[in-house]
Amino acid sequence: MMGTSPVDPINRLLEKYNRIAEKAVEFYSFLKMPSIKLINYSENATYLVTDSQSTKKYILRVGRPGYHTKKEVESELEWLKSINQLSAITISLPLQGENGEKVQTIVYERQTFYCTLFTFLEGNAPDEGNEQELIHQFEILGEVTANLHEHSIKFRNQLQQITRLTWDYDTILGSTPKWGRWQHGLGMTEEKLELFEEVSGKIKERLNQFGKSPERFGLIHSDLRLANLLVENNHIKIIDFDDCGFGWYLYDLATSISFMEHKPYVPLLIQSWLKGYRKVRPLSKEEEYEIPTFIMMRRLQLVAWVGSRDNETTRELGSQYTEDTVLLAEKYLEQF
């Protein structure tokens, strides 16, 4: 009797997401014989949906079960509506289904999935390998990010009413980490645990001193990594507000260099970002000095994420990402 080769868990999971995506598009009758193609799987599964008659494109997001409540997803969409109406930032917008809902609820195999169809934006993600172009783009990104923060501050009272999680020390590295514990990162050793514990303690100490004043802490995108940016004709558009929540504004800078924090050109990216940011809103020398704290916090958060997720990105990064974090951690302790 011939044995059967084991099915990769990711493939099995994606087969499930494919079925859910097929069910979700049924809520949008304007889609004529739509084709559905998976383009990314990370926290969620993201699909390119193409109308076979008009050839018009859309983006469908199938949310990971248990990651957000329906109210939290609806709150994300409320912020998108506000940004679209009251700022010049280009974003992807949610579309309403025939049932009047912008968030479709699909129950499949006793799990609840929240799905949203978005408008499609043209453009390409910045190229991590093109250093000079990336430095130039980070000045534009800094300006766009500052405009996003200005919107957050200006409409703070209204935005405080929406239901989104908070990104602070406790939910990133502390007692209730949303993306898992950094202690469970891949390739962890006693030496790394001791080093990262010292770093984590220093981060907590400095953030307590830094504080959460309204000028420093508010509603942010929380995941401005390159994959969530689209560049077209020197214009940067922002996509995927799935992780938006209440956090430090400087955390948005830290997220923009996700997975490349150890690259030698990062200081140039930061200076370029600051130049663009300060075109729109001020940033004190004290705040600028604290940037490494936010970068280090994000890096440890990603160590946790890589260790607690199974997708193409985490498999590619593996334990080497933890290993590459050691030098960053040592440099951080030398500085602070």
Side-chain angles (χ1 to χ4, degrees), residues 110-123:
R110 291 180 293 183
Q111 288 184 305
T112 302
F113 297 80
Y114 298 119
C115 308
T116 310
L117 188 71
F118 292 91
T119 55
F120 178 85
L121 295 179
E122 295 289 348

Side-chain angles (χ1 to χ4, degrees), residues 88-244:
I89 301 166
T90 305
I91 55 173
S92 182
L93 294 170
L95 297 169
Q96 186 171 289
E98 296 304 308
N99 57 356
E101 297 275 354
K102 291 180 180 177
V103 181
Q104 307 304 338
T105 304
I106 308 290
V107 178
Y108 189 86
E109 295 181 354
R110 291 180 293 183
Q111 288 184 305
T112 302
F113 297 80
Y114 298 119
C115 308
T116 310
L117 188 71
F118 292 91
T119 55
F120 178 85
L121 295 179
E122 295 289 348
N124 297 297
D127 181 3
E128 183 181 330
N130 191 330
E131 180 179 333
Q132 290 306 312
E133 185 176 60
L134 199 60
I135 291 169
H136 169 68
Q137 290 167 342
F138 259 65
E139 182 177 341
I140 303 170
L141 176 60
E143 193 169 350
V144 172
T145 306
N147 279 308
L148 184 66
H149 295 168
E150 280 290 284
H151 177 271
S152 175
I153 292 168
K154 184 175 182 180
F155 299 99
R156 182 180 182 85
N157 290 338
Q158 299 97 303
L159 296 175
Q160 288 291 323
Q161 308 306 312
I162 74 171
T163 305
R164 295 298 299 183
L165 56 84
T166 295
W167 292 109
D168 58 12
Y169 178 83
D170 283 341
T171 58
I172 294 174
L173 301 183
S175 57
T176 55
K178 183 71 172 175
W179 285 2
R181 303 181 73 233
W182 60 260
Q183 291 89 340
H184 297 160
L186 301 180
M188 200 62 71
T189 62
E190 286 298 324
E191 291 78 13
K192 291 187 183 74
L193 283 169
E194 185 177 338
L195 173 63
F196 295 164
E197 188 67 52
E198 185 177 357
V199 168
S200 180
K202 178 58 68 174
I203 290 171
K204 182 178 183 179
E205 173 191 320
R206 296 202 64 82
L207 289 178
N208 285 339
Q209 294 173 356
F210 190 73
K212 295 180 178 179
S213 67
E215 298 78 26
R216 296 180 175 183
F217 195 97
L219 190 57
I220 58 174
H221 182 281
S222 306
D223 195 19
L224 287 173
R225 58 196 175 98
L226 301 189
N228 291 333
L229 307 173
L230 293 174
V231 182
E232 184 186 33
N233 299 327
N234 232 23
H235 180 63
I236 291 183
K237 310 166 188 180
I238 303 176
I239 60 174
D240 194 2
F241 280 69
D242 179 56
D243 286 315
C244 72

Side-chain angles (χ1 to χ4, degrees), residues 27 30 37 40 69 71 80 90 93 102 143 158 170 172 183 187 194 201 226 234 248 254 256 264 276 292 312 323 335:
F27 287 95
F30 57 83
K37 178 185 177 183
N40 182 53
T69 64
K71 178 64 176 175
L80 291 178
T90 305
L93 294 170
K102 291 180 180 177
E143 193 169 350
Q158 299 97 303
D170 283 341
I172 294 174
Q183 291 89 340
E194 185 177 338
L226 301 189
N234 232 23
W248 286 281
S256 70
E312 287 185 3
E323 185 63 36
Q335 183 173 354

